[in-house]
Amino acid sequence: MTMSYYTLGNSGLRVSRLALGTMTFGTEWGWGADRNTARAMFDAYVEAGGNFFDTADLYTGGTAETWLGEFVGERGLRDKAVIATKFTMNSNPGNPNAGGNGRKNIMRAVDASLKRLGTDYIDLYLMHIWDRLTPAEEVLRTLDDLVRAGKIRHIGLSDVPAWYAGRAQAIAELRGYEPISALQLEYSLAERAIEHEFVPFGTRHGAGIMVWSPLASGLLSGKYRPAQAGNAGRLDGFRNTTHPGFQKFTDHNWAVVAELEKVAAELGRGMAQVALNWVATQPGIATVILGATRLSQLQDNLAALDFSIPPALRQRLDKVSGTPAPFPHSYFGPEIQVRVAGGVVTGDKPSGYALPVVVEGEAVAISSN
């Protein structure tokens, strides 16, 4: 495959369209990849041209950050690698300030991540989850201070309400703080809720979306079927969980799986590749995080952008995976908006108004030979 790179949000940071997730680096959680497998996946991703690595201080008790830092260092890739990590989660039970998004924890967490990663700066530092308590002003000021101190380069938000993301970006613009360049959110054919708020926010206000769980925790990989029970994969262990991120076995999602299987067969591609391709080519998506526990899985996923989904097949996937727009978004479709426009064709800009910037072609020679 040929990897391409695009800027993240309104920043100048170039990242590959497929990112390597490291939540599977380590087996401390009872699943995941051992060190040799993790290194093999890292090497395969780098050799395919990937440059964007996603991790977090939470992942496998710090093992993920440690191994990633070691792998990057061993190959001398620090200048090439774009490392994203996250803070928020508590690593010290009983101490409320060892987690959350307050200034005290952010300052603690960034130094701990820098040490584990074996680097003196982080390319993208993200708030892992909204803690419902810390004012956005405190978070943005602290992150801006870290940018000015040279410890981080860019900032982002993961798993936050849309209103919070909008407020945070407005604060950054008003006060001259480092703006939010990325939103990290769940998105897949089985989970499309971000299309209503986050995609419009990201495209209009400069935050590229980094997709996590593009295969719906493996549901869209082809290994699960409605009548099947147990031993198909990691998601089986969460069939009775109360964790919202793993509640995937629904009638709606089984219909998505069935149609995805048909479309993949018509394309002559694996279900996982088609699901990843669909996500990566949706509006507002900057990069898709790949998470694998085996080298063969990653190698298969890395080929997800080597083809295009024809419009007719894409429409079938859109239809089966779509859900009714919730209020008030049900009022923003053409059924009501045409009355706002007086029944005439009205839009933002005509097609082709802003042409995309894509740098490609042969480099000019600079020698006379």
Side-chain angles (χ1 to χ4, degrees), residues 137-138 141 144 148 167 170-177:
E137 291 86 346
E138 181 175 342
R141 174 60 191 269
D144 186 69
R148 294 172 187 270
R167 176 166 176 77
I171 290 169
E173 294 173 353
L174 177 65
R175 300 189 177 180
Y177 294 162

Side-chain angles (χ1 to χ4, degrees), residues 56-362:
D57 57 2
L58 166 74
Y59 295 164
T60 53
T63 296
E65 283 187 326
T66 300
W67 287 4
L68 176 61
E70 290 173 356
F71 297 163
V72 169
E74 288 168 2
R75 294 190 55 154
L77 296 176
R78 188 61 194 95
D79 286 341
K80 181 178 180 179
V82 177
I83 296 176
T85 193
K86 300 179 281 291
F87 65 90
T88 296
M89 298 303 183
N90 199 307
S91 59
N92 185 9
N95 178 6
N97 286 311
N101 302 320
R103 187 179 185 90
K104 182 177 178 67
N105 183 55
I106 294 175
M107 300 299 279
R108 177 206 63 79
V110 72
D111 286 338
S113 286
L114 287 168
K115 183 176 181 180
R116 283 189 293 268
L117 288 164
T119 183
D120 57 2
Y121 72 96
I122 294 164
D123 296 287
L124 176 66
Y125 202 40
L126 301 106
M127 188 177 87
H128 206 155
I129 189 171
W130 181 45
D131 66 6
R132 300 180 61 186
L133 296 170
T134 310
E137 291 86 346
E138 181 175 342
V139 176
L140 268 292
R141 174 60 191 269
T142 304
L143 293 177
D144 186 69
D145 286 346
L146 292 177
V147 171
R148 294 172 187 270
K151 292 187 176 183
I152 64 178
R153 299 291 190 259
H154 302 276
I155 69 172
L157 302 173
S158 174
D159 302 338
V160 299
W163 68 260
Y164 185 95
R167 176 166 176 77
Q169 194 71 305
I171 290 169
E173 294 173 353
L174 177 65
R175 300 189 177 180
Y177 294 162
E178 179 67 23
I180 296 162
S181 298
L183 296 171
Q184 191 169 127
L185 302 162
E186 181 178 7
Y187 187 45
S188 72
L189 281 164
E191 177 51 78
R192 296 180 58 180
I194 70 168
E195 294 174 355
H196 301 296
E197 295 279 357
F198 291 99
V199 170
F201 165 76
T203 54
R204 296 179 185 183
H205 299 289
I209 295 174
M210 302 171 63
V211 173
W212 64 263
S213 198
L215 296 179
S217 299
L219 180 71
L220 305 176
S221 66
K223 67 175 67 173
Y224 299 97
R225 292 296 184 274
Q228 186 180 37
N231 301 321
R234 175 165 55 94
L235 196 56
D236 278 313
F238 295 96
R239 282 182 181 265
N240 299 314
T241 185
T242 58
H243 192 303
F246 294 108
Q247 295 176 357
K248 304 300 185 186
F249 298 124
T250 66
D251 290 341
H252 173 267
N253 287 348
W254 289 132
V256 172
V257 169
E259 188 65 25
L260 174 62
E261 183 175 23
K262 295 175 184 176
V263 169
E266 292 182 41
L267 286 170
R269 292 281 179 172
M271 291 172 62
Q273 289 183 349
V274 175
L276 290 170
N277 185 295
W278 181 89
V279 167
T281 52
Q282 286 289 99
I285 304 307
T287 191
V288 176
I289 301 171
L290 305 179
T293 56
R294 300 194 309 271
L295 177 60
S296 59
Q297 288 178 324
L298 180 66
Q299 290 172 328
D300 181 75
N301 291 349
L302 286 171
L305 298 183
D306 290 349
F307 64 99
S308 297
I309 301 175
L313 296 184
R314 189 180 199 94
Q315 187 176 24
R316 284 166 52 183
L317 294 175
D318 291 345
K319 182 178 181 179
V320 72
S321 62
T323 56
F327 177 84
H329 300 280
S330 55
Y331 273 58
F332 304 151
E335 299 84 358
I336 290 180
Q337 291 292 307
V338 290
R339 299 200 64 177
V340 177
V344 298
V345 175
T346 306
D348 178 19
K349 300 291 187 298
S351 177
Y353 177 87
L355 297 177
V357 177
V358 179
V359 180
E360 57 185 346
E362 298 294 328

